[in-house]
Amino acid sequence: MLEETLFALANGYLGTRGTMEEGAVADHQSCEGTYLNGVYHSEKITYGEVAYGYASHNQKMQQVPNGKVLKLKLDDQTINLADAMEATRWLDFRTATLHRQMRWQSGSGRQLSVNTSRFASLTHPNLLCLRMEILAENFSGDIELSALLDAGYRFSPNKDDPRVGVLSLDDSLALYQQHAGDSDAWMLHQVKDGEFKIASVSILNSTVAPRHISQITHEKQVGQHWLLPLKQGESVIVEKYICYQHSKELTFETLLDEAQQKVQEAKRSGWDALHSQHQQAADAFWQNADVQIDGDPALQQGIRFNLLHLFMSIGKDGHSNMGAKGLTGHGYDGHYFWDTEIYILSVMTATNPELAKRCLEYRYRTLEGARQRARQMSHSQGALYPWRTIGGDECSAFFPAGTAQYHINAAIAHALRSYYAATADWQFMQEMGAEMLFETARLWLSLGHFNARRDGQFCIDGVTGPDEYTAIVSNNFYTNAMAKAHLQFAVQMAAKFRHQDLTAYEQLCVRLSLTESEISIWEQAAEKMYLPFDETLRIHAQDDSFLDKQPWDFANTPPDKYPLLLHFHPLVIYRHQVLKQADVVLAMYLLDDTFDQAQKARNLAYYEPLTTHDSTLSSCIHSIEFAETGDYQRAYEFFHDTVRMDIDNRHGNTEYGVHTACMAGSWMSIVHGFAGVRMRPDGLTVNPHLPDHWQGYTFNLQYQGRQIQIKVSKDKVSYLLKDGESLSLQQGTQQVHLNKGQWLNVSWGNL
Amino acid sequence: MLEETLFALANGYLGTRGTMEEGAVADHQSCEGTYLNGVYHSEKITYGEVAYGYASHNQKMQQVPNGKVLKLKLDDQTINLADAMEATRWLDFRTATLHRQMRWQSGSGRQLSVNTSRFASLTHPNLLCLRMEILAENFSGDIELSALLDAGYRFSPNKDDPRVGVLSLDDSLALYQQHAGDSDAWMLHQVKDGEFKIASVSILNSTVAPRHISQITHEKQVGQHWLLPLKQGESVIVEKYICYQHSKELTFETLLDEAQQKVQEAKRSGWDALHSQHQQAADAFWQNADVQIDGDPALQQGIRFNLLHLFMSIGKDGHSNMGAKGLTGHGYDGHYFWDTEIYILSVMTATNPELAKRCLEYRYRTLEGARQRARQMSHSQGALYPWRTIGGDECSAFFPAGTAQYHINAAIAHALRSYYAATADWQFMQEMGAEMLFETARLWLSLGHFNARRDGQFCIDGVTGPDEYTAIVSNNFYTNAMAKAHLQFAVQMAAKFRHQDLTAYEQLCVRLSLTESEISIWEQAAEKMYLPFDETLRIHAQDDSFLDKQPWDFANTPPDKYPLLLHFHPLVIYRHQVLKQADVVLAMYLLDDTFDQAQKARNLAYYEPLTTHDSTLSSCIHSIEFAETGDYQRAYEFFHDTVRMDIDNRHGNTEYGVHTACMAGSWMSIVHGFAGVRMRPDGLTVNPHLPDHWQGYTFNLQYQGRQIQIKVSKDKVSYLLKDGESLSLQQGTQQVHLNKGQWLNVSWGNL
């Protein structure tokens, strides 16, 4: 199951796990899964005790029929991996293509080699492409091929782990119609408890004509059975193209028609052309995003693996986003969290800002739902984004670690701020960004209050911060600090908007019933924001109550009791000083210029020993902050924990999908941590460090229309402005001026 | 449905709602229900998101076949209340018997009078007794009678109210065998998802021999159909006795045998003898518990109605307890809460201490489960009682307002303290009380900690107090104060035990691994208990965070938005200063001698305006505390709100059962509030006040083996020691000495 996740493929719209064409080996647990991003079914949430305003339905990422099935039979024996003489599989990072080579021998000694490849097209998002090359090594004769669309797959997890969703393909799709032809097959499904219709269409092609064809039409499977004549020493190539398409509006007939056209076009184009287009798109991504680590192949593999999965899974159509597990598994039901804005978009704004924009567009498209949610939560104005969702509705069934995480609003504002700093894309801000920013900002004012008992400072009570090992507290430092930054940015953007286009600004204000006096209250709230600080410890307090709690008894917590959430009741965890993940420390990263180095070091020294890092979102942030405060040894350790999290299955649950935020975090650890890159309103800054273990490293940035490559090596830092206008940036205290096409080396002595 | 609750009958073991013998009138919603106390089925609790240590199953009070069914047909017309010419129903408080008189006329003008009576025998707890007197007024002829045991009834509530359980008789009972004879019928059921077997047996008798008999055996109904000859002007009397019996251990055959013997004995005894025994038991209760209010019939009715229901519903066998709704409805699934110890037992220790003891015995019998729960909650020692349960397992599906209410342990300790003060029953303390007391006391030590940041005071973090409009806070005043009293009492009882019976004490200590040094830490924790106090407001703070929150906007909360819990998300409620019910104020009542009057008045003045009294447990406590602080006007208003809560259905949900804690609260308001009665270790004190609206009031107490009647009137307070040894008590500052059988009048001028 682990490999099924690692070898998953996706293109942002469709994702499919790395299961075998012939299906699972009988005695191995396997989790089949093909997913459509942004498509979901709704399940009523059952509560032991329900209360007003609880999320009513869970939106689960929609699974669709498995189109990968290509089963071979020789001498009446099914050919599968378990019986192979030799077999190897690899994911080609550069081309986002999965390959398998296998040699196999029948009982009678007939030998075959079977090479398969597949990719989810980066240029044709509805298309999954498969290719199988069959070579008869020592015989001539017929081989049987069954190609299926399979809607009958199920998965029952054997773990009682709240983080694992349950697969329910059967329960979520109602068959409308299906068909099997000689080379094509299709299924039309209505998503139960939802408005989506789905068409799944496949077409089969081969380099030799089948000697016999029969159609397969079972209750949950359609496809064809081909008898293919093999000649010793000659390859037969089979191609299969599967198109998945969904719609709320179209009729089934139109939907089918469109999908059929797409597979026909794919068949006409053929594998080579399709793969070539796909490869160009992958090339472009690597051009913008690749990171090279010289001197450590394992880390090199790790970072590229992570970047590839981020790129493959991220929603690219403005109607979808990035699930916590991407499109590699059904963990967390495929929900989108703040992970997107705080982690994924940190990478994307700096490497592929267009993709960051698409994710922000998705948030804009669900703004109306966030407004309605705010009303449910008794806020007469503004918008409250859901803690977890697909379609835009709150899907969190445990509000203390769900809806209570109001900082989701600040996360979206942070992403807008980062995106704008990285791109200066005013058009987006004017068309969508400002409205989201203002609507989320105004929520803080009805959530918090100017507290007379604390000198009129602005306090926010009854929230949960990023650290879910503490819940429903007053003045969570992270939340307050992020709200402050959110309000400040909203005030700045309002001023800019007013200045840039008064008419449009005034129209927006009228539409939102937004007045200048409200904006001035935002300014006051930001200015008077209460940021808990303990004068004795000289650290920021995680919240009003945290520092008064008992420290967790780490000495008497054996390793098998982690993660704590699987071994202790929430109340036990809540009443102790123990963190699941970075909280104050995360604020230090996101709002890095509001802390001095000494303060960061003191906060880190206090909080890190209390942190279990039970969340995979934690290590990377600690890596960055240790790097920022000059403890490169610890920075490196935490980075190491991050970069191969999934490949090495360090948290033991990659089976259910990769950890996309952690993957993004590994990039952040390098670029924001070791290289100290920050994109601020006043420009790009770099503070590079080269970890001892490395010869050097190279990474790429997109910055306000420019492509920049930065190479950090033992004796110098080298900059190449690959494209775009000349630029001055700051390296430490030094000004660096870049001109297009010229390498600039800055030698340095501070290593 | 309201009347079905108000006219419910019970005897502590079986309870049955006041539905009609002929069933519900077609177009009225009706909720049939016959319940066995202490018997339950288990349902797996489904969570949207589950976590470690969550309650896994809900134990639901078991419903059993309805034995009340006696349907009459004349001229092929069913006789029911809807068509009656005249009808009246009344509950005879004195005898705990329900009566109905009805006159009815058939389409052809034949007139009948039908008088029914029923009671749940207070002397034969398995027995429900029905009597029907049929008088043909203007004709002679046959009448059809159908007598049934009906296991087919269902109820689907039409409200989406978390406080309402769902009836599921069908789903919870599996039929083992059933039988209908000429006059008897029985059903044997296995409780699904539980170990209980249940026998329901009925027998029918009449003063005239039936002219024809047929048996009724449907899928979920057994009984008989009798044709009874009526003569004009002559009554026919029908008696029906139903026996409900359960067992985990017995075979169905033995269980049936026992139940059959009981109905046969009942039939032999006959109505008059059975009712006479029943009445004697009721008399004895009233002798001990009656309260007379001179000059206000509505309040008089209210308080007696309340006392009767308390007496009828309370578990009397040491294996059961008192549901929040008694045995009058399935609200809250019949669960036992702290309501028993804080409210119900306040009444019972002072009027029927034997019943208080039975309820405490029940807690002792579930102590092992509480120990196991403590282990689940990571406490290596001690016991944690469940927030809501029947069989002893935690059934709360929302831990922030469930398991987090650790004060349940203190409530049980409080009841032990009260029981011991009222009875001086050392034998019980030694046999059961001390063990419960010690095991619950030691939990505080692993829950809380001596906090160096607060001068080493003992702090308790991450709990919820009685006010469920605030959850998971640090240093809830009520919890800390009650824990302190709990620990103090435990230390005292340990010393006394050591002194009284060193051997037994040491045996217990060995069994509990309890050392003197542990007890000395209890003493330190009690002494150093942190009790939050705000120096500026000069009030006790509800918890560390409460006073810093925004006050609730009462001015903009229209009446239809109450109770808040049905109209606002918990997070909205949690982040405001708003109370569901007394919290600090409740501590003032329970620990009244640890506050001075001025402090009580200040606390009341602060908290009462923030209190919605959305819980029916609130008004009575406020009545008592306003009385204690001399604001008799407000005391009277809150009392008024309490005493007719159910009769007048003031919270609009009495349909689903009475509010037993509130009922108890009305007695507490009179006896502890207006009369100022307290039973302290150093004796009985009385501080009587006569509300302006009343001529006088009289109540009864049991105190350390004595029966005392106290009559408060305009010019004097009169005491009668009805039984027991002479006694000195304190009225205000005056010593009053009572001798058996002599009225003692104390005149007073302080009204």
Side-chain angles (χ1 to χ4, degrees), chain A residues 203-224:
Chain A
I203 197 155
L204 194 65
N205 199 14
S206 80
T207 50
V208 298
R211 292 211 314 116
H212 180 260
I213 292 178
S214 59
Q215 296 91 20
I216 302 171
T217 312
H218 296 142
E219 195 193 335
K220 287 169 185 163
Q221 290 180 330
V222 289
Q224 42 280 132

Side-chain angles (χ1 to χ4, degrees), chain A residues 414 417 477-478 480-486 488-489 492 526 529 531-533 540 583-603 625 628 678 680-681:
Chain A
H414 170 81
R417 190 164 65 242
F477 175 83
Y478 173 89
N480 287 21
M482 290 291 285
K484 180 186 172 98
H486 182 172
Q488 285 171 332
F489 185 55
Q492 286 162 23
M529 185 66 68
L531 298 174
F533 186 82
H540 291 100
D583 199 282
V584 169
V585 172
L586 179 59
M588 285 166 25
Y589 160 59
L590 297 173
L591 307 167
D592 73 309
D593 51 355
T594 64
F595 301 77
D596 65 33
Q597 293 287 96
Q599 186 57 55
K600 285 190 185 179
R602 279 197 303 276
N603 287 348
E625 289 309 295
E628 277 208 339
R678 291 290 187 280
R680 298 193 204 281

